[in-house]
Amino acid sequence: MSETNRNLEARLAEVEHEVASLKKIQRGAAVRGAFAWGACGLAVAAALFAGARPGITQEEGMTVKAPFRVVTPDGKPVATINSDAEGPFLRLFNAAGGTSMLMWADKDGGNIAVKNAAGKNIGEMISRSDGAGGNLRVLDKEGKNAVSMFARSDGSGGNLAVYNDSGKNVFAAFARSDNRGGDIGIYDKDGKNVAALFARSEGGGVLQIYDGDSKVVFKQPN
C-alpha cells in the first residue's frame, strides 16, 4: 500500500471518530435537501481534504472524485461530499442513517441546515438571494419558522422577527430605513399591528397603540 493511501485511510479513521462525536447534520427539504452548523461541517470537510493531501516528500497531490463517501466499519453512512447543478454539498448522517446536516454552496453563496431526529429542519443559515446578506432561522420541531434574524434588503441594518404557530409575525425589532434609529412592532395572532415603539427623526421616541382596525387610539408624545 502506498504512503498516500495509508495517510488517507488514517485520516478517514479520524474523520469517522469526529463525526460520531459531533452528530449534527442534514439537508433541508425546502432548500435542496437540508443543512447544519458550519463549524461541524467545516471540521469534517477540512479533515477529508487534509487526508487527501500527501506528505511533503511526495511528488503530487491526490484528487478524489465526487461523490466521496465515508462509512463505518459495518457499512453505515457517515458523510458524503457531492455536487449538483447548483454547486457542491457536504452531507452528514445520524446513527440511524438519516441526514441530520447539510452544508452547500449555490449561486447566492454558502448555506447550512440542521434537522432533528424526525427529519424536520430546526435551524437554517443561508445566503439571501437578493444579495442583502444572511438569513438565520430557528424552527420548531415541526419545521415551522419560529424566529428569523436577517439583513434588511433596503440596506438599513438588521431585522429580528418572531412568529406564532400559524406562521404570523407577532413581534419585530428592526433598524428603520429612514436612518432614524430602531423600531419595535407588536402584532396580534393575525399579524395586524397592535403597538409600536420607534425613534423620531427630531429626537426622542414615540409609543403608539392601535385598535382592531389598525387605527391609532393612543400616541405619546402626540
Side-chain angles (χ1 to χ4, degrees), residues 145 162-171 187-191:
N145 195 13
V162 179
Y163 304 86
N164 62 16
D165 60 0
S166 299
K168 299 294 185 179
N169 187 188
V170 295
F171 175 85
Y187 313 92
D188 66 14
K189 62 183 179 63
D190 297 317

Side-chain angles (χ1 to χ4, degrees), residues 199-217:
R200 299 185 302 177
S201 58
E202 62 270 27
V206 174
L207 172 64
Q208 292 187 165
I209 307 295
Y210 305 86
D211 63 14
D213 295 322
S214 297
K215 293 180 180 179
V216 177
V217 295

Side-chain angles (χ1 to χ4, degrees), residues 123-140:
E124 301 174 353
M125 183 168 63
I126 63 175
S127 297
R128 292 186 53 161
S129 59
D130 57 10
N135 189 358
L136 175 64
R137 297 204 307 162
V138 177
L139 305 99
D140 68 13

Side-chain angles (χ1 to χ4, degrees), residues 93-134:
F93 299 87
N94 58 29
T99 303
S100 60
M101 168 184 167
L102 186 79
M103 184 172 71
W104 75 94
D106 56 25
K107 63 181 179 60
D108 301 318
N111 309 276
I112 300 172
V114 183
K115 288 183 179 284
N116 61 16
K120 303 290 186 179
N121 278 17
I122 56 172
E124 301 174 353
M125 183 168 63
I126 63 175
S127 297
R128 292 186 53 161
S129 59
D130 57 10

